[in-house]
Amino acid sequence: MRGRKSALTVRMDDGTRQTLLGWLRAQKTPVGLAKRAWAMLLLAGGQTFSATAQQVGLGERHVRKWANRFLRQGVEGLSDQPRPGRKPVFSPRSGCLPGQNGLRKAG
């Protein structure tokens, strides 16, 4: 392999591996979480950060970020954290009312 050896080494026990594999098999797992789980499994299997990033479809910088979180917090570190900003105006489940065309009434 080319390049420097990384100081980060991802290791996991069988329970953690089964959890991540379960996320990959589940159809309702969000895509981002599935990519992060796949990346951690590849890293634990001995792949490099650059090869993992290319295979999973993330940037190498992001793979390193998620590996650091995984090493610090475990499986919980792979979940998205709440983001700052304004709450959505429309709830994701509400949908459009017939005849409304998705527009909100003023006032």
Side-chain angles (χ1 to χ4, degrees):
M1 285 188 238
R2 301 171 80 185
R4 293 183 294 156
K5 286 284 268 182
S6 176
L8 294 175
T9 304
V10 176
R11 293 187 184 109
M12 60 182 75
D13 60 355
D14 288 334
T16 303
R17 185 178 307 278
Q18 291 305 318
T19 300
L20 297 181
L21 286 171
W23 288 355
L24 289 177
R25 289 188 196 112
Q27 294 180 354
K28 298 284 184 171
T29 304
V31 174
L33 185 59
K35 282 185 175 187
R36 295 187 287 269
W38 186 21
M40 293 309 110
L41 289 168
L42 290 174
L43 290 173
Q47 278 210 13
T48 62
F49 283 96
S50 58
T52 299
Q54 190 173 19
Q55 190 170 355
V56 173
L58 294 171
E60 185 177 347
R61 177 175 153 234
H62 293 108
V63 173
R64 286 183 186 280
K65 175 183 90 168
W66 290 110
N68 274 321
R69 273 200 204 171
F70 179 74
L71 291 174
R72 277 186 279 131
Q73 301 173 6
V75 174
E76 292 82 23
L78 297 178
S79 299
D80 284 327
Q81 295 177 348
R83 296 183 177 180
R86 182 177 174 203
K87 301 287 183 210
V89 177
F90 297 105
S91 78
R93 297 180 190 265
S94 68
C96 297
L97 296 173
Q100 294 289 322
N101 294 333
L103 300 176
R104 228 171 58 170
K105 270 185 155 176

